[in-house]
Amino acid sequence: MRPRRPATYKDKRPRIRETHVDITPGADKRLEKVFAAIGVPAPEPFKPDPFQLKALTAIQQSDCLVTAPTGAGKTWIAEQAIARIHNRGGKSWYASPLKALSNSKYAEFSSLFGAEHVGILTGDRKENPDAPIIVGTTEILRNQLYDSMHQGKTLSADFVVLDEAHFLGDKDRGVVWEEIMIYLPTRIPLLLLSATIGNAPQVAQWLSSIRSQKCKVIQEHKRPVPLFPLFFHPSGTLYPLLSDGGNASGGKRLYKKVDQYLKGKTRSVFTSPRQLPPFGAILEVLKKYNLLPAIFFLKSRADCDRAIEYCTQNRSRNPRHEKDLRDRVEALLGRNPHLSHHRQRRCLERFAVGAHHSGQLPAWKLVLETLMTEGLLDAVFATSTVAAGVNFPARTMVFFNSDRFNGSEFQPLNPTEFHQMTGRAGRRGKDHIGFAMAVPGKFMDPRLVARLINAPPSHVESQIRINFSMVLNLLLSHTPDQIEDLLEKSFATYLIHTSGKRKKRAKDPHSHTVLWQEFLRHLNFLIENEYVAPDGKLEEDGRWASRLRIDQPLMVAEGFRQELLPTTDPALLAAAMAAFVNEREPDDRIDKKFLPKKLTKTFHAIRRGLRPFSRQMQARGFSIVPLFLRPAATLYHWAAGQSWEDVLAVSEIEEGDLAMLILRTADNLRHIKSLAPVFPEAAETAGSAIELILRDPVIMDYGD
């Protein structure tokens, strides 16, 4: 069922008469001076900004939280600080939220420090793990902290960088960030980097309180490339979005002609709301005024894929540029034979446009990011996920919607989301000025965009929560009383103690009181099922189950306990793990030709065998993800060597989603592989399964 949008933009005035107009490029006179400033800055020697030097000094004396706009040079601070540690013979850990970001930073650091001195740990990649400089994902760093606490050792690092630190407030993954900040030994200096933390001083004060040392805040508000907001009138005329003056509240007023358009009883439009805008004609306008390359933010994957078909008139006027693009595409796609026949390759080469979203293969997205970064594309049509930290710059960001799908419903963009998206506008060293362009439509509220332009980033809130993996891993090295002390260090607890509203906020789901009650609820269930002894110490089953740092550790552990898992057949084990990692509710009516007897027999035995345990979990109020046959059948056929096209037909999902299902299955199999001391046969089978499923086109070539 398609999610409904909130009635945010419904006009309460009498019905507006809409008229369709042809697009003719034009620009308001107020833009002449602005457009004249467009161009490429002259090369000049690098000179650190004052905030960068302040941060470098601060991190030598204390922890440091740096907030600065995208492109301002936060990574330079990390590089210089890591260089200092490296030159003294120390070790550094650079953690980022995304595998793509980690891969990018690994390449950068290998070039800067020498490949022999840099390693990467992302789950998918494990290279040079004992190197003095490690780049990896936050989950891997958190797991290493678990291991070091269990072994009674300290983390093998002398310096830690947490990039994109605003992920502390991420609903799904913020718990990992908060755990790292709580568990990290105080002897290890911590550098946090972010473009969008509205309450940076509050976060720093919390860190100072739990780490017994000062966390200094270094803030830079000036963008390295100024941002200018535009409005695209359906006639093709460009206007400033904002007037020169401010309103009583200190914000910016809409430009007079934009305001008149929005208030008019007759309003010109591109097309009917059910049709896509004429992207080819819009590109013509942007091209005339030198506003390319651009990223167009659209509401759905399907719209991104359809949009590139509207750009057939966007042929290059420069034969050399067209040849350079074709040659570079050939060079990039030559690494991956499957991508050579990608259905969107024609649009990529002929019209210099591409579609970038989570339904695309990771390797295809990497091709687009590379081409865009090298200045070979005019436009990329993307969903808002492209804003999540990928180094993907452009001169202009084009918005057709002022809302965003959050996984369950559409909500108006908040300041942090908007700043993340506009942070890509204007490339340092390539642009004097960047642009954010609002295009009117059914789901665009230009007044909201006007408010967001200068709005401060949203505050980051605690997202810590209890799960079985956390409880098992903390019990490896702590008593329940010690764990209560750890939970007392949560960011939510700090906010409650410092807000003066303790009674009101004590029921916060992330507060210490609620966290402790949740811990006890999980602990009692583990005791009841003999993973933990009544005195709070782990039983033998609890010890090995703690190695399953996955979404459903107890369900998988029960599968081992009851000898339900296929521990000798790699394809069947991959199939079983796919059922556990699947987050969708697929149509399980599958053609029997895709269901070998041994697959269905194994799957139904697992589901039937785990049913009493899952009912017990549900009765205690713990959420359960149902097991479905289709993802299991999908991974079985992929592990059995079937072609990508045939497996796509079985899966009935987009290839980017299929790649993600395979990668997550591989990650679960890695955790089973770690159980070799207890389940050697299963561990060996898991290793074989990983080799079978990580093949073209899922895996990426990380060469030059």
Side-chain angles (χ1 to χ4, degrees):
M1 182 176 176
R2 177 174 293 181
R4 293 184 177 181
R5 292 175 183 258
T8 310
Y9 316 123
K10 286 187 177 178
D11 205 323
K12 298 179 181 179
R13 295 178 288 108
R15 184 177 179 84
I16 296 170
R17 186 166 63 89
E18 295 181 342
T19 60
H20 294 265
V21 294
D22 293 329
I23 292 180
T24 303
D28 188 86
K29 288 186 178 180
R30 289 281 186 96
L31 293 174
E32 288 180 359
K33 184 180 292 187
V34 177
F35 287 172
I38 294 174
V40 179
E44 55 184 40
F46 172 77
K47 182 181 179 182
D49 290 333
F51 87 92
Q52 294 173 308
L53 297 175
K54 287 180 182 177
L56 271 182
T57 300
I59 198 60
Q60 288 185 293
Q61 304 163 354
S62 66
D63 294 340
C64 184
L65 169 55
V66 179
T67 65
T70 301
K74 296 185 293 294
T75 301
W76 182 86
I77 299 169
E79 290 172 352
Q80 297 302 306
I82 289 172
R84 285 177 178 173
I85 298 293
H86 183 57
N87 291 337
R88 295 203 302 261
K91 293 186 175 183
S92 299
W93 228 107
Y94 187 104
S96 82
L98 303 174
K99 292 177 182 178
L101 274 177
S102 297
N103 290 326
S104 175
K105 285 292 180 285
Y106 172 64
E108 291 176 24
F109 286 3
S110 294
S111 176
L112 186 64
F113 298 106
E116 69 276 15
H117 300 299
V118 184
I120 183 168
L121 299 171
T122 65
D124 294 349
R125 302 180 73 184
K126 183 179 180 180
E127 300 176 22
N128 204 8
D130 297 320
I133 300 170
I134 294 295
V135 178
T137 55
T138 46
E139 281 79 3
I140 299 294
L141 175 57
R142 190 274 313 273
N143 290 345
Q144 287 196 353
L145 286 167
Y146 278 154
D147 290 338
S148 63
M149 289 189 294
H150 169 46
Q151 295 162 4
K153 300 178 181 178
T154 186
L155 183 73
S156 180
D158 302 295
F159 179 53
V160 167
V161 182
L162 289 182
D163 198 1
E164 307 290 342
H166 55 275
F167 266 76
L168 173 65
D170 184 82
K171 180 181 177 182
D172 297 318
R173 299 178 63 198
V175 58
V176 176
W177 294 80
E178 192 159 345
E179 284 189 89
I180 289 172
M181 295 176 193
I182 293 172
Y183 307 154
L184 188 71
T186 56
R187 71 165 184 85
I188 303 175
L190 178 61
L191 173 62
L192 300 101
L193 307 174
S194 177
T196 49
I197 295 182
N199 56 335
Q202 198 173 44
V203 173
Q205 288 163 8
W206 164 62
L207 284 170
S208 298
S209 72
I210 66 170
R211 286 176 51 77
S212 303
Q213 61 181 321
K214 184 176 179 58
C215 179
K216 189 167 184 178
V217 178
I218 305 294
Q219 292 182 295
E220 173 61 54
H221 301 290
K222 184 180 178 182
R223 286 176 55 104
V225 179
L227 181 71
F228 191 91
L230 295 170
F231 181 81
F232 193 112
H233 191 278
S235 65
T237 300
L238 301 178
Y239 293 107
L241 178 65
L242 305 176
S243 67
D244 293 333
N247 58 28
S249 65
K252 291 279 189 174
R253 291 197 305 260
L254 287 174
Y255 185 55
K256 183 178 179 181
K257 293 179 182 178
V258 176
D259 191 48
Q260 289 173 344
Y261 167 81
L262 296 175
K263 291 179 177 178
K265 294 182 178 179
T266 300
R267 186 178 299 173
S268 55
V269 296
F270 295 114
T271 59
S272 68
R274 296 179 180 178
Q275 293 179 301
L276 289 178
F279 294 114
I282 293 173
L283 276 174
E284 284 293 309
V285 177
L286 270 60
K287 184 174 291 187
K288 177 173 180 178
Y289 293 103
N290 204 14
L291 296 171
L292 299 178
I295 298 176
F296 289 69
F297 290 111
L298 305 183
K299 68 179 177 61
S300 70
R301 301 172 178 182
D303 282 357
C304 293
D305 290 336
R306 290 169 56 206
I308 61 176
E309 299 291 344
Y310 283 66
C311 300
T312 55
Q313 67 199 74
N314 191 55
R315 296 301 298 269
S316 174
R317 272 75 165 175
N318 184 336
R320 177 59 185 270
H321 180 277
E322 195 169 352
K323 183 179 185 304
D324 288 345
L325 175 58
R326 285 199 311 270
D327 291 346
R328 190 67 175 117
V329 169
E330 178 61 33
L332 292 170
L333 298 188
R335 301 173 184 164
N336 193 319
H338 174 79
L339 294 186
S340 297
H341 305 287
H342 198 284
R343 63 187 182 282
Q344 295 180 359
R345 179 173 181 173
R346 179 182 68 90
C347 290
L348 188 67
E349 290 184 328
R350 297 183 64 186
F351 313 127
V353 297
H356 186 291
H357 54 71
S358 56
Q360 302 277 25
L361 282 168
W364 180 256
K365 290 190 288 185
L366 181 62
V367 168
L368 294 183
E369 292 162 17
T370 301
L371 294 173
M372 196 71 167
T373 302
E374 294 176 358
L376 292 171
L377 296 186
D378 285 338
V380 164
F381 296 89
T383 54
S384 56
T385 53
V386 77
V390 176
N391 184 18
F392 196 94
R395 180 167 290 168
T396 305
M397 303 292 126
V398 187
F399 293 83
F400 290 83
N401 315 292
S402 53
D403 60 0
R404 180 180 181 182
F405 186 61
N406 64 9
S408 58
E409 60 182 345
F410 284 96
Q411 289 289 336
L413 288 171
N414 63 42
T416 292
E417 291 166 342
F418 184 77
H419 289 316
Q420 282 288 317
M421 297 163 85
T422 56
R424 324 238 84 76
R427 303 155 299 176
R428 190 171 192 173
K430 294 184 178 181
D431 290 308
H432 287 298
I433 187 169
F435 297 90
M437 179 181 292
V439 183
K442 185 177 181 181
F443 303 112
M444 164 54 69
D445 181 0
R447 299 184 193 281
L448 172 62
V449 174
R451 293 194 297 272
L452 292 174
I453 290 290
N454 294 305
S458 307
H459 281 207
V460 166
E461 299 287 345
S462 174
Q463 300 297 333
I464 195 167
R465 63 186 183 277
I466 303 299
N467 56 59
F468 283 112
S469 182
M470 177 196 292
V471 173
L472 289 168
N473 277 278
L474 288 178
L475 287 171
L476 279 170
S477 51
H478 297 76
T479 66
D481 287 344
Q482 291 171 329
I483 293 172
E484 184 177 12
D485 292 339
L486 281 178
L487 297 178
E488 185 82 40
K489 294 182 177 181
S490 77
F491 186 35
T493 300
Y494 173 81
L495 293 176
I496 291 168
H497 288 327
T498 58
S499 68
K501 301 178 181 178
R502 297 191 183 191
K503 289 184 179 180
K504 182 178 180 181
R505 299 195 63 169
K507 294 183 180 180
D508 185 301
H510 313 297
S511 71
H512 164 256
T513 302
V514 177
L515 286 173
W516 178 238
Q517 291 172 348
E518 272 293 284
F519 172 81
L520 291 176
R521 191 167 72 91
H522 284 71
L523 176 62
N524 289 333
F525 186 83
L526 290 168
I527 292 173
E528 181 181 343
N529 286 276
E530 299 181 350
Y531 285 98
V532 178
D535 63 359
K537 294 182 179 179
L538 290 181
E539 301 281 14
E540 184 59 33
D541 284 355
R543 289 183 175 277
W544 61 256
S546 70
R547 303 297 304 174
L548 297 171
R549 293 158 184 168
I550 55 181
D551 291 338
Q552 299 194 66
L554 289 194
M555 295 293 285
V556 175
E558 282 297 307
F560 276 110
R561 272 179 155 187
Q562 299 181 38
E563 299 183 350
L564 298 171
L565 299 180
T567 58
T568 60
D569 187 318
L572 283 178
L573 185 57
M577 288 302 102
F580 285 111
V581 306
N582 177 65
E583 294 179 341
R584 299 172 177 270
E585 191 165 319
D587 181 356
D588 254 4
R589 294 171 295 182
I590 311 174
D591 192 318
K592 289 186 177 180
K593 69 181 181 182
F594 297 132
L595 300 174
K597 285 186 178 180
K598 66 176 181 177
L599 171 63
T600 54
K601 181 180 178 181
T602 300
F603 177 81
H604 291 304
I606 293 172
R607 188 156 63 177
R608 184 170 55 252
L610 291 178
R611 189 171 293 137
F613 184 75
S614 63
R615 286 175 176 169
Q616 183 189 4
M617 289 190 73
Q618 286 179 306
R620 300 296 191 278
F622 298 109
S623 61
I624 294 296
V625 179
L627 302 182
F628 290 99
L629 181 55
R630 187 175 293 277
T634 298
L635 262 291
Y636 177 82
H637 287 286
W638 181 241
Q642 294 294 313
S643 71
W644 182 253
E645 290 72 22
D646 288 345
V647 174
L648 271 174
V650 177
S651 71
E652 294 190 350
I653 56 178
E654 290 191 63
E655 58 181 7
D657 294 324
L658 175 54
M660 184 55 63
L661 175 63
I662 293 168
L663 291 170
R664 292 194 61 204
T665 300
D667 190 52
N668 271 35
L669 289 166
R670 288 188 192 95
H671 288 273
I672 291 177
K673 190 177 176 182
S674 73
L675 301 181
V678 186
F679 302 106
E681 188 175 55
E684 184 177 351
T685 302
S688 300
I690 293 170
E691 293 180 5
L692 291 174
I693 66 176
L694 291 185
R695 56 187 173 95
D696 178 63
V698 177
I699 57 171
M700 298 162 58
D701 185 340
Y702 297 98
D704 295 330

